[in-house]
Amino acid sequence: MEVDCIPFKETGYFSKLICDYLDQRKDLEQFYNRFPSPENFVEQIKEKSDAYTFSNRAILVQALREQYKGMAISEVTEANVTSLEEKNTFTVVTGHQLNLFTGPLYFLYKIVSTINLTKELKRTYPAHQFVPVYWMATEDHDFEEINYFNLHGKKVQWSRSSSGAVGMLDTKGLDAVFETLSAELGKTGNAETLKVLFKKAYLEHSNLAKATRYLVNELFGEHGLVIVDGDDPSLKKLLVPYAEKDIFEQIPYNKVTESIGELEKVSSDYTIQVNPREINYFYLKEGLRERIVEQHGKFHVVNTEIEFSKKELSEELHKHPERFSPNVIARPLYQEVILPNLAYIGGGGELAYWLELKSYFDEMDITFPMLMLRNSALVITKKQADKINRLDLKVSHLFLKQNTFINKKIREISNIDIDFSPQKKYLEEQFEQMYQLAEETDKSFLGAVKAQEIKQKKGLDALEKRLLKAQKRKLRDHVVRMTDIQNELFPNKSLQERQLNFSELYLELGENLIPNLLDSLDPFSGTFSILKY
């Protein structure tokens, strides 16, 4: 693939908070541990090595062996699991929901970024081992977010009722999804490969967690990816002391609330991604995942008749830690407790809420990971690239909002000048003289002069818009071809990676898709990638 790039800031799709973080704005330093540059991993390795215990390594490896039992895995994944017993082995993690058939394309970019970062770290620090990890969000309960994917502009959806954690959902009804997918894919060799992959993952496994593990292992197993399911009794035992501080002392609620206040002081333009609750845990059983709330000295499970005294809840936590499911605030801490982790790789929204958590980690005495923005990419075919060139466009133009994109290009190609800025400037100069005249004669006329200036400026704006509209009609064919290519590459006026499913690219590139992404995406690039093939 041919690789080009543009700065994240220039895409218009990334928040001010994330752009400021990438620019390493000084005011934000208190909200993270170390910026993810290659040289900063020296201190991160030392800090995590000192904090992470051998006993946790043993529990982690045993849990992983249990989770992989009965599944064929690659030699490199097996070696990576075994290496986690060694003090010089560390992880790099990304996490994601159990989206049907991976969901949006950026799911692949997250894992590719993770794998590539471990490779870069191994080259820089050869005395250590680095293991890429995908954390399956099996305890998530938002079924409507994960029960579909888009293919050729159509929504392929799994329709069924659901309750509780999605990882426990049986795969009933996915045979109908398979039929829809098969019809849409066609009968090429790559299409048949995709059909087999879907069938083996979803029709030959009993629940969504097992199906997702199989699917992701098939796609990335040969690259050594290790898949972790946090919904594991042995791993959750390690979480108990931290859950107690959350449930009974409300430490994360207090610390994260403070951090949000501090972030808002840095900039009022920052959007707060998540707000903490007084208790950041759900009560989890088959078919049930509901919040725990404290009311009148009792702990209630929302939407149920289940309640505990403080003593009873503490006993339940120690006896059945698997029944306590961390929410979006508590889950990052859980991850860092059980893994010898150095860095978390996520999208802009994820990093935004991680930036709220540093003081909470400090209070819990858990090493805060380095935060790395995942790779983002726009994939363009040669045919599409040729079309862009024929229209005399730059790829960066395509990131503009459609009206801005059209207006910018119309002004460039029009044979008349549709920019009335000089006329507006001349008007302002004329009115400046009238303001001076009113000041010298009768100040009561200032309001009337101002009103007349506004009226005439509005008149010029209206004329400019009418002229631009007329030019759009005149150049309609060019506008249609421009918007067609933008709509192709930005479906639903959104980033391609948030809309397309990987299967659409796999139909074209087949088994070369993931190797091409691994070769083309640099985790340290700090830019939005344009990939042409």
Side-chain angles (χ1 to χ4, degrees):
M1 287 181 163
E2 183 184 330
V3 183
D4 203 350
C5 62
I6 63 173
F8 281 111
K9 190 182 290 186
E10 292 180 15
T11 68
Y13 283 93
F14 292 82
S15 70
K16 176 173 171 52
L17 174 58
I18 294 306
C19 291
D20 284 353
Y21 173 67
L22 295 176
D23 287 343
Q24 300 182 59
R25 177 173 171 169
K26 193 132 186 86
D27 292 354
L28 289 177
E29 287 181 356
Q30 63 181 301
F31 301 103
Y32 60 92
N33 199 5
R34 296 175 181 88
F35 192 78
S37 57
E39 63 275 10
N40 283 348
F41 277 89
V42 174
E43 290 301 317
Q44 191 73 17
I45 288 170
K46 184 179 186 307
E47 184 179 353
K48 190 66 181 185
S49 181
D50 292 343
Y52 189 72
T53 66
F54 180 78
S55 60
N56 281 23
R57 285 188 182 276
I59 292 167
L60 172 63
V61 171
Q62 181 58 34
L64 287 171
R65 295 202 187 285
E66 285 295 319
Q67 291 182 18
Y68 273 109
K69 192 171 283 185
M71 175 179 282
I73 62 174
S74 69
E75 289 183 7
V76 64
T77 295
E78 174 65 39
N80 276 344
V81 170
T82 300
S83 75
L84 286 167
E85 294 176 322
E86 304 300 325
K87 187 174 173 59
N88 69 334
T89 299
F90 299 91
T91 61
V92 172
V93 180
T94 194
H96 201 68
Q97 296 167 295
L98 309 189
N99 292 71
L100 188 60
F101 214 36
T102 76
L105 186 57
Y106 70 76
F107 176 83
L108 265 65
Y109 299 160
K110 291 176 95 168
I111 295 178
V112 166
S113 301
T114 305
I115 292 169
N116 278 346
L117 180 55
T118 60
K119 291 178 180 177
E120 289 292 329
L121 291 175
K122 182 62 179 174
R123 279 192 279 269
T124 309
Y125 304 100
H128 296 86
Q129 301 298 322
F130 303 95
V131 175
V133 170
Y134 162 53
W135 181 288
M136 293 198 297
T138 56
E139 296 175 59
D140 183 52
H141 63 274
D142 200 338
F143 182 65
E144 286 69 30
E145 285 190 3
I146 68 162
N147 70 341
Y148 71 95
F149 60 92
N150 299 315
L151 178 59
H152 300 146
K154 299 174 184 176
K155 192 174 186 179
V156 181
Q157 188 166 359
W158 181 19
S159 298
R160 59 161 294 167
S161 60
S162 70
S163 61
V166 294
M168 299 179 186
L169 282 176
D170 63 49
T171 50
K172 183 180 177 181
L174 282 168
D175 51 346
V177 176
F178 176 67
E179 295 303 322
T180 302
L181 174 65
S182 297
E184 188 61 39
L185 286 174
K187 295 184 178 180
T188 66
N190 289 338
E192 293 304 319
T193 301
L194 288 168
K195 291 175 194 177
V196 170
L197 183 60
F198 186 97
K199 186 175 182 180
K200 287 190 171 182
Y202 294 102
L203 305 189
E204 297 181 13
H205 289 87
S206 59
N207 64 37
L208 192 56
K210 291 177 181 177
T212 304
R213 181 183 290 276
Y214 175 87
L215 174 65
V216 177
N217 184 64
E218 285 295 302
L219 292 172
F220 292 102
E222 67 180 275
H223 303 287
L225 184 71
V226 172
I227 302 165
V228 174
D229 183 352
D231 189 8
D232 184 295
S234 63
L235 295 177
K236 282 193 174 174
K237 282 182 183 177
L238 301 176
L239 186 60
V240 169
Y242 306 98
E244 286 185 309
K245 289 182 179 181
D246 184 311
I247 295 168
F248 303 122
E249 299 178 41
Q250 300 184 345
I251 287 175
Y253 174 74
N254 294 325
K255 300 307 291 186
V256 177
T257 300
E258 287 174 13
S259 289
I260 289 172
E262 292 301 313
L263 271 170
E264 289 174 330
K265 286 180 186 176
V266 175
S267 174
S268 59
D269 294 327
Y270 292 166
T271 300
I272 299 306
Q273 201 68 22
V274 294
N275 285 290
R277 295 187 180 275
E278 286 84 354
I279 296 174
N280 294 285
Y281 282 83
F282 294 84
Y283 192 67
L284 180 68
K285 282 187 174 180
E286 187 171 352
L288 173 71
R289 187 178 186 253
E290 294 286 355
R291 289 192 298 115
I292 302 168
V293 297
E294 184 181 6
Q295 295 174 342
H296 311 299
K298 289 280 190 178
F299 294 86
H300 299 265
V301 178
V302 173
N303 297 321
T304 75
E305 299 297 318
I306 303 170
E307 72 171 23
F308 303 91
S309 67
K310 182 176 180 180
K311 182 171 181 288
E312 288 168 340
L313 189 61
S314 180
E315 289 173 354
E316 181 80 351
L317 177 59
H318 282 267
K319 192 180 294 184
H320 295 289
E322 72 278 4
R323 294 179 183 173
F324 292 78
S325 177
N327 73 358
V328 67
I329 292 288
R331 187 210 56 78
L333 186 99
Y334 178 33
Q335 168 191 297
E336 298 304 312
V337 166
I338 69 173
L339 295 173
N341 194 45
L342 301 176
Y344 183 78
I345 294 181
E350 289 175 285
L351 264 54
Y353 75 71
W354 272 90
L355 288 168
E356 300 173 20
L357 306 180
K358 173 68 163 54
S359 63
Y360 158 42
F361 273 65
D362 290 345
E363 187 71 17
M364 294 290 201
D365 199 25
I366 296 297
T367 303
F368 195 69
M370 298 166 86
L371 304 178
M372 178 171 277
L373 186 64
R374 65 167 172 83
N375 286 115
S376 282
L378 174 65
V379 182
I380 301 176
T381 66
K382 184 180 185 305
K383 184 178 177 182
Q384 290 168 330
D386 290 343
K387 194 180 293 186
I388 291 167
N389 288 334
R390 285 198 300 273
L391 290 167
D392 194 27
L393 295 171
K394 294 179 180 177
V395 174
S396 58
H397 293 160
L398 300 172
F399 285 83
L400 296 169
K401 301 301 180 188
Q402 195 157 94
N403 280 340
T404 307
F405 171 55
I406 293 169
N407 292 344
K408 176 181 173 64
K409 198 60 188 174
I410 289 297
R411 283 190 167 94
E412 284 179 11
I413 64 177
S414 177
N415 56 5
I416 60 172
D417 190 357
I418 316 177
D419 183 2
F420 281 11
S421 296
Q423 287 83 355
K424 290 174 188 174
K425 189 172 186 299
Y426 178 74
L427 189 68
E428 287 171 358
E429 291 170 354
Q430 297 304 307
F431 270 94
E432 187 60 38
Q433 295 177 20
M434 296 182 72
Y435 283 127
Q436 290 176 7
L437 186 61
E439 285 277 358
E440 293 169 3
T441 55
D442 188 343
K443 290 185 179 180
S444 66
F445 281 104
L446 284 171
V449 174
K450 182 66 176 176
Q452 192 61 226
E453 180 186 16
I454 291 170
K455 182 179 178 181
Q456 292 197 31
K457 279 185 175 179
K458 283 183 177 177
L460 281 175
D461 286 339
L463 287 172
E464 187 176 18
K465 285 176 183 176
R466 285 186 64 181
L467 190 56
L468 192 59
K469 194 173 180 181
Q471 281 300 96
K472 285 181 186 177
R473 285 196 299 271
K474 186 176 178 181
L475 300 168
R476 188 175 187 283
D477 180 58
H478 199 95
V479 169
V480 167
R481 285 184 288 140
M482 284 167 50
T483 54
D484 280 350
I485 188 63
Q486 188 185 44
N487 291 338
E488 271 183 45
L489 294 170
F490 291 78
N492 295 325
K493 295 182 171 57
S494 178
L495 287 177
Q496 179 194 69
E497 64 182 31
R498 297 178 186 172
Q499 299 292 319
L500 263 61
N501 179 258
F502 86 98
S503 57
E504 212 155 319
L505 294 183
Y506 196 95
L507 287 171
E508 296 276 337
L509 296 167
E511 61 184 16
N512 292 321
L513 171 60
I514 289 173
N516 279 343
L517 293 177
L518 286 164
D519 288 343
S520 303
L521 297 176
D522 174 7
F524 287 115
S525 73
T527 55
F528 193 107
S529 300
I530 313 297
L531 308 180
K532 300 175 186 176
Y533 72 95

